[in-house]
Amino acid sequence: MRKDKQIAFGSDIYKLIRQARMSEYDRRLAFNATRQAEAFAAAVMWVKEKAAALGNYLLKPSLKH
């Protein structure tokens, strides 16, 4: 995730990672893990929204009967 997006989301986790006393290698691992978690959460939310939209589409014909 880009630095501007990190600030835009108001996420304090990146600030905490920068301030933590750790090696640069561990810091990079923490940033990568956070980015992966955010990407996974975004993918789950996308699937949830698509499933909800599909569910509404499939329920409409049955409501007519």
Side-chain angles (χ1 to χ4, degrees):
M1 181 172 279
R2 291 244 185 255
K3 191 171 185 177
D4 56 343
K5 288 186 180 178
Q6 294 170 8
I7 294 169
F9 287 134
S11 178
D12 292 333
I13 189 71
Y14 293 99
K15 183 178 177 182
L16 292 173
I17 293 172
R18 276 189 223 101
Q19 292 174 347
R21 295 179 65 184
M22 61 176 68
S23 69
E24 189 60 32
Y25 176 75
D26 289 338
R27 190 177 322 280
R28 287 183 188 166
L29 286 178
F31 278 127
N32 287 337
T34 304
R35 287 184 197 113
Q36 288 176 352
E38 288 177 344
F40 179 75
V44 168
M45 293 301 295
W46 182 84
V47 169
K48 177 188 161 276
E49 290 171 3
K50 294 300 178 184
L54 183 62
N56 289 338
Y57 177 73
L58 294 176
L59 288 177
K60 286 181 181 178
S62 65
L63 293 176
K64 293 180 182 178
H65 296 285

